[in-house]
Amino acid sequence: MSNTFKRGFLVALSAGALLATAACSGGGTPATSPGTGGGTTEGATDCAAYEAYGDLSGKTITVYTSIASDAEAQPHIDSFKPFEECTGATVDYEGSREFENQLPVRVAAGNAPDLAYIPQPGLLQTLVTENKDKVVAVGADAEANVDQYYKEFWKEIGSVDGEYYGIPIGANAKSFVWYSPSAFADKGYEIPGTWAELMTLTETIAADNADGATRPWCAGIESGGATGWPATDWIEDMMLRTGTPEQYDQWVNHEIPFNDPVVIESIDKAGSILKNEQYVNGGLGGVTTIATTPFTDAGFPILDGTCFMHRQASFYQANWQSANPDVKVAEDGDVWAFPLPGEGATPPMLVGGEFALAFRDAPEVAALQAYLTSPEWSNAKADATPNGGWLSANSELDPSKLVQPIDRMSYELITADDAVVRFDGSDLMPSAVGSGSFWKEMTDWIALGKSTQDAATAIETSWPN
């Protein structure tokens, strides 16, 4: 599911402070502290890394995104300031809540922005396929940056028919289990390192609370017109823990059917928690309440002690303060998260993210593309996001600039050399499936007790020819 769409249901972070910078004037290069990646520090911008972009004075590049709220848009606007100051270019940012409806209309009408942030790879694929004469392949400098600073699969996701079009912008890590460190400590529970240990912990918590007032897990998949997407994330995580990464890729690309035995086993693995009345839904009710509980609220029973664990992405950190502004999200705080275990020591990580697509072939547009794929931008964007809740998959991002502990942990997990990382499967599938039958059938699987086989077969039948 579109990560930006998901964030629309999250509590907005407070507006970020403006990124303090000083203009590069007189052809000189202001001093900057080492290790900033060409970003900003103490009011100075080091323009040395920007010289390759040339003099872009008088040039304007338009950027169109779905990020419309001041709180989320301002850090993006601020992250362009070093580029503007060092090149002379102007970046004209426009955020719209009607982005996904308006972008195809603007492209068809010949009024496309220079760059658009695409919140869903499936939309990127559609835009490229339907507008081959109106989209522009990634420039050489930006492509070289992606080759150097990103894991290979980020480039693969932004490619269509072997041509590279979409550069990575933001990222988020999804395979987390939220919990209360103090509740675990009080009960003597330890963080599980394998799936078997997670299930043993689940059984122990259930046995310790046999009256059912408290359960091991709490979950919610209600999300308005997008109801069901949190359940698809569960299935994607199980696919990475039941089969191989290669089987996950085959599933996403429909090289194996949706009702293949490995998919059935993965759905049932999720069901071993989500459809077990003894394990779920702590503080909320029985299994069927999962379908009617807003995903934004589903983890809150952890705070009152009626639930111990909640599987949700790193971006869920923004929701805890909506329950209580004093909630501390940290390893020694009120809530924290551990990676959802796999079968081995290093758990696989499901990720999401956004991509930028170009619609004008011009040196200034190619320069901005290159900047957005550089360490300079990732570090400037981190500097411009003082409340956290954002990260990049760029290997040269300085993790110390990520102010939220969960963001730092997420970054280390998705960029580790031995990390097994895969993109959100429903975001890569055709929309008729990914945001259609997959969402619906997983909702029916929970709300109506539909069998795994019937749900998976219905999704397989819906796959476009």
Side-chain angles (χ1 to χ4, degrees):
M1 177 205 167
S2 160
N3 296 293
T4 300
F5 188 79
K6 291 172 187 174
R7 283 201 306 272
F9 291 90
L10 293 172
V11 178
L13 299 177
S14 59
L18 294 180
L19 181 64
T21 55
C24 301
S25 59
T29 302
T32 186
S33 300
T36 62
T40 61
T41 182
E42 298 180 356
T45 300
D46 184 349
C47 290
Y50 299 77
E51 293 176 358
Y53 304 139
D55 183 358
L56 302 176
S57 299
K59 302 293 185 181
T60 297
I61 308 109
T62 59
V63 175
Y64 186 50
T65 87
S66 61
I67 304 165
S69 72
D70 290 342
E72 288 193 300
Q74 194 62 52
H76 282 280
I77 294 168
D78 292 341
S79 74
F80 299 132
K81 289 187 176 182
F83 177 84
E84 292 178 309
E85 292 165 2
C86 293
T87 67
T90 298
V91 179
D92 185 2
Y93 179 96
E94 178 187 359
S96 171
R97 290 180 175 85
E98 298 298 320
F99 172 87
E100 294 195 33
N101 292 326
Q102 288 300 312
L103 180 60
V105 173
R106 290 181 57 175
V107 172
N111 185 35
D114 296 334
L115 279 174
Y117 287 5
I118 312 299
Q120 201 172 27
L123 176 59
L124 185 148
Q125 296 271 336
T126 299
L127 285 166
V128 172
T129 301
E130 296 181 354
N131 302 277
K132 275 291 182 69
D133 59 335
K134 296 178 180 179
V135 294
V136 179
V138 172
D141 291 339
E143 184 170 4
N145 281 345
V146 173
D147 289 340
Q148 182 173 357
Y149 300 120
Y150 288 82
K151 287 185 177 294
E152 184 179 355
F153 89 97
W154 288 98
K155 183 176 180 181
E156 293 172 354
I157 293 167
S159 299
V160 181
D161 297 331
E163 188 82 18
Y164 187 35
Y165 290 98
I167 59 171
I169 301 293
N172 59 74
K174 296 193 166 195
S175 305
F176 283 121
V177 177
W178 293 89
Y179 73 106
S180 165
S182 61
F184 267 48
D186 289 346
K187 295 292 186 179
Y189 299 150
E190 296 183 356
I191 303 302
T194 65
W195 182 261
E197 291 175 1
L198 178 66
M199 293 308 295
T200 296
L201 174 62
T202 298
E203 292 164 6
T204 299
I205 295 173
D208 289 347
N209 297 275
D211 61 0
T214 297
R215 291 191 179 96
W217 293 87
C218 41
I221 65 169
E222 192 279 324
S223 188
T227 292
W229 73 258
T232 69
D233 280 7
W234 267 91
I235 306 309
E236 290 152 10
D237 259 332
M238 295 307 104
M239 276 293 295
L240 288 172
R241 286 154 178 77
T242 301
T244 64
E246 292 73 23
Q247 285 175 309
Y248 182 92
D249 296 337
Q250 292 168 349
W251 172 59
V252 168
N253 295 322
H254 205 219
E255 293 168 4
I256 58 174
F258 211 103
N259 52 1
D260 184 90
V262 70
V263 184
I264 298 297
E265 183 180 354
S266 298
I267 298 174
D268 283 341
K269 192 166 192 171
S272 68
I273 292 173
L274 293 179
K275 299 187 80 168
N276 188 323
E277 294 282 359
Q278 304 304 310
Y279 293 169
V280 80
N281 204 5
L284 299 167
V287 165
T288 58
T289 65
I290 295 173
T292 55
T293 298
F295 91 92
T296 49
D297 303 343
F300 294 168
I302 289 175
L303 299 176
D304 63 23
T306 55
C307 167
F308 276 86
M309 294 179 287
H310 175 61
R311 184 228 158 272
Q312 191 49 270
S314 60
F315 55 67
Y316 196 77
Q317 65 182 299
N319 276 45
W320 294 110
Q321 281 80 24
S322 73
N324 183 339
D326 297 325
V327 169
K328 180 181 179 183
V329 182
E331 191 169 5
D332 61 350
D334 301 295
V335 287
W336 186 233
F338 58 84
L340 181 67
E343 301 299 338
T346 303
M349 184 60 62
L350 188 70
V351 300
E354 298 83 35
F355 300 81
L357 185 62
F359 294 93
R360 182 162 69 94
D361 187 3
E364 60 269 24
V365 178
L368 183 58
Q369 268 190 329
Y371 173 58
L372 290 170
T373 55
S374 71
E376 289 73 42
W377 179 74
S378 288
N379 285 292
K381 178 63 172 65
D383 286 337
T385 314
N387 294 313
W390 176 89
L391 63 96
S392 162
N394 190 304
S395 63
E396 290 301 308
L397 170 63
D398 179 357
S400 69
K401 292 176 177 287
L402 300 172
V403 298
Q404 295 292 346
I406 192 70
D407 295 334
R408 292 195 293 272
M409 180 169 67
S410 298
Y411 176 76
E412 298 294 347
L413 287 168
I414 69 175
T415 59
D417 290 340
D418 62 346
V420 175
V421 181
R422 287 297 186 274
F423 204 87
D424 183 302
S426 63
D427 279 359
L428 296 173
M429 294 173 184
S431 59
V433 177
S435 57
S437 59
F438 198 2
W439 290 357
K440 178 185 181 301
E441 291 299 326
M442 288 300 96
T443 301
D444 290 349
W445 177 69
I446 289 171
L448 304 179
K450 195 167 188 175
S451 74
T452 295
Q453 187 67 54
D454 287 349
T457 298
I459 299 169
E460 170 59 24
T461 302
S462 75
W463 202 288
N465 292 327

